[in-house]
Amino acid sequence: MSSTSDSSTTLPTTLSAISTLIGYIGTEVATPHTTFHRILWPQRAYNNFQFPSSSSSSSLSLRNIFIPALLMPLGGPLHTAALKTIDQFFARGLFLGPEMGGMLGTAFFPDQGGEYHLPGGGVGKVRNGVWVRVLERVGLGGGRCQRRSISGGGVEGGKVRKVRQKTWVNRLVLSVHQGPGKGVKKKKVVCVEGDVGPMTGRILAGIVLTEITGIGVAIAVAVVWRSAWMVLWVVPLVLKLVSAGCWVPREGVVVEDGGGCGSGKETKRYMVTSGHGFQIIEGPPQMVQQFFRHYGHPRRSRWQELVQIAVVIAFGLNFPVGLVVSTMWMPIGLQCVWTGYVLYVTMVMYVSRYAHGEWWLTTEERLADALIDAEEHPGEVLVLFKGGEDCTLAVELTRTVHNSYGEAKEHALLLRQPPLPSSDHPGDVQSEGSTGNSEKR
């Protein structure tokens, strides 16, 4: 009798201690920009979610099902990340009133950081540079061309040159797509939708799939325990859908004076340096610079901002409230289920943090996958990006990998030089030294 009484007292105490420990070990795993930027900008966060179809590969279909379903729930401890996010809102003055404060550097519009350089010596801030992030994702994605385009190495002065640090140089050419042209019909056209438009059923389906585990547990709780506490498992889904329903409008590529999103033949080459190598982004200045500056910036709408701020606060309160409820009012079996589920979510948050989960299902991942596909099938794939209602861009990537940082920098400085004056199209420009120089080294 005494043994039964002791066990019935010890188990709830143990579960409470485990839940508190989960709060400690899980509270730092979520980062404000990664976690809440995904919630506040679902069009970008779920742009690569695709319904499985007969045209997609089986690996892609499985990936689109299992990654969001098993590795992307948000029912764990987010109170620290939420507090840091709210601190950002407060520091940037978003609580001062309508159209007050700035969104750059918050979860609404994270600051990419870094600078871009022009051949003439001009320097600008990258801010929310989507193409910089795409090229970083390309580097993580690999590709056959990357492995076979290695410069450097070999023998020099009778000695084998050592590989110090493999560093890649990316050259991304953006141009205005003028519609089907010569040879286009023979190519596979991959058109990536922009992430500044309205919410779509595909985006909402991706959001629902990320919380499918919580939905399943809630159904089990309702069937087995017939308890109203089942709502605790669907709170994250409800909050995500509320945020998606009150999405903040964002700026696309602006068409200036009816001249398109980068009319004219003038092109410039912008060099961006980061920990992932050297990046040369080439295209019409009035188009490329929009991606460095204001593309994706929220258009101010006070009530939508307030709803999304409230969603962040609610996510921060979700775990502490669940902990109190489970400890004080849940039956022991249901308390075990709640603790086990929170532990599961915390573990997958750690997995996603160190498995590049910030890229999963995003616009950057979708563009990077398309560019890698085009790289592995030269001349067979045309990659397009719809940057706005009146602007579709053609995107072309070439890259080389070098065996030292110095070689990569030298090659990037050559590519940084202005395009040849005789070129009629930025994509037709052959970079000075892009081939011969690479082979020479």
Side-chain angles (χ1 to χ4, degrees):
M1 186 74 177
S2 175
S3 175
T4 305
S5 177
D6 290 343
S7 62
S8 63
T9 304
T10 302
L11 186 55
T13 304
T14 303
L15 290 174
S16 178
I18 292 174
S19 300
T20 305
L21 181 61
I22 292 172
Y24 280 115
I25 67 174
T27 187
E28 296 294 339
V29 65
T31 56
H33 284 173
T34 301
T35 302
F36 291 108
H37 176 54
R38 180 180 289 274
I39 294 170
L40 301 184
W41 195 350
Q43 295 98 320
R44 171 167 287 189
Y46 300 97
N47 198 12
N48 198 31
F49 175 75
Q50 304 290 325
F51 292 110
S53 64
S54 57
S55 60
S56 61
S57 65
S58 58
S59 60
L60 179 61
S61 299
L62 292 175
R63 182 183 183 280
N64 269 269
I65 293 174
F66 289 112
I67 282 187
L70 300 179
L71 298 178
M72 295 179 67
L74 284 182
L78 299 176
H79 41 285
T80 297
L83 182 59
K84 292 179 179 178
T85 303
I86 297 301
D87 285 344
Q88 293 171 353
F89 295 159
F90 179 78
R92 297 294 296 164
L94 296 184
F95 293 155
L96 295 178
E99 299 181 350
M100 298 292 289
M103 290 194 165
L104 180 64
T106 71
F108 279 109
F109 195 60
D111 191 349
Q112 174 73 26
E115 298 176 333
Y116 62 85
H117 305 264
L118 285 168
V123 178
K125 299 294 184 181
V126 171
R127 295 186 178 178
N128 193 248
V130 62
W131 295 113
V132 177
R133 287 178 53 78
V134 168
L135 293 177
E136 290 178 1
R137 181 64 183 85
V138 167
L140 298 174
R144 287 197 302 271
C145 189
Q146 179 184 3
R147 293 196 291 270
R148 69 169 179 260
S149 297
I150 297 177
S151 65
V155 180
E156 181 180 15
K159 296 182 178 180
V160 178
R161 300 177 64 182
K162 296 181 179 180
V163 178
R164 297 188 182 92
Q165 173 189 346
K166 288 187 177 180
T167 307
W168 56 81
V169 178
N170 301 307
R171 177 183 175 230
L172 187 75
V173 180
L174 305 177
S175 59
V176 181
H177 181 59
Q178 304 292 350
K182 184 178 180 181
V184 172
K185 293 183 178 180
K186 298 180 180 180
K187 295 184 178 181
K188 171 187 174 183
V189 178
V190 179
C191 185
V192 178
E193 296 89 349
D195 46 22
V196 295
M199 201 63 53
T200 64
R202 178 173 58 87
I203 302 299
L204 294 175
I207 293 174
V208 172
L209 191 59
T210 62
E211 295 297 333
I212 198 69
T213 53
I215 296 173
V217 174
I219 294 173
V221 169
V223 172
V224 176
W225 281 275
R226 301 184 183 277
S227 172
W229 294 124
M230 62 168 287
V231 299
L232 290 176
W233 283 270
V234 297
V235 165
L237 174 61
V238 172
L239 292 177
K240 287 181 180 180
L241 293 177
V242 168
S243 179
C246 299
W247 58 278
V248 176
R250 296 178 182 268
E251 296 183 13
V253 176
V254 178
V255 178
E256 299 179 353
D257 302 325
C261 54
S263 58
K265 297 180 180 180
E266 180 190 11
T267 64
K268 289 187 178 181
R269 294 175 180 173
Y270 304 81
M271 184 172 74
V272 181
T273 57
S274 70
H276 298 274
F278 295 88
Q279 304 170 358
I280 307 297
I281 301 177
E282 177 181 336
Q286 60 269 47
M287 175 182 65
V288 176
Q289 291 187 7
Q290 292 187 51
F291 289 103
F292 288 142
R293 296 175 180 172
H294 299 298
Y295 177 82
H297 193 285
R299 295 173 180 168
R300 302 306 295 266
S301 174
R302 187 57 175 171
W303 76 269
Q304 290 168 306
E305 294 171 19
L306 290 176
V307 170
Q308 294 204 321
I309 290 173
V311 167
V312 174
I313 296 173
F315 263 109
L317 295 174
N318 183 47
F319 176 81
V321 170
L323 178 59
V324 172
V325 167
S326 67
T327 303
M328 297 186 66
W329 295 296
M330 282 186 182
I332 189 63
L334 195 54
Q335 188 176 348
C336 290
V337 174
W338 186 86
T339 303
Y341 182 75
V342 172
L343 178 61
Y344 160 73
V345 173
T346 301
M347 291 300 100
V348 299
M349 287 170 64
Y350 272 100
V351 171
S352 65
R353 177 168 180 149
Y354 295 107
H356 305 295
E358 63 179 301
W359 306 103
W360 293 343
L361 305 186
T362 61
T363 298
E364 295 94 330
E365 182 188 57
R366 188 175 178 187
L367 284 166
D369 290 345
L371 289 172
I372 291 173
D373 185 32
E375 181 186 59
E376 295 185 341
H377 302 86
E380 300 178 13
V381 180
L382 174 63
V383 180
L384 304 178
F385 177 68
K386 190 170 179 58
E389 294 182 0
D390 303 314
C391 183
T392 300
L393 312 179
V395 188
E396 181 182 354
L397 173 67
T398 56
R399 55 180 173 160
T400 55
V401 175
H402 305 260
N403 286 337
S404 72
Y405 181 88
E407 290 178 355
K409 183 177 181 180
E410 181 182 353
H411 185 62
L413 290 175
L414 286 174
L415 291 179
R416 183 186 172 189
Q417 299 303 314
L420 297 176
S422 59
S423 176
D424 291 330
H425 191 280
D428 297 332
V429 177
Q430 182 175 358
S431 303
E432 299 89 318
S434 61
T435 303
N437 191 59
S438 175
E439 294 175 353
K440 181 179 178 180
R441 290 195 296 274

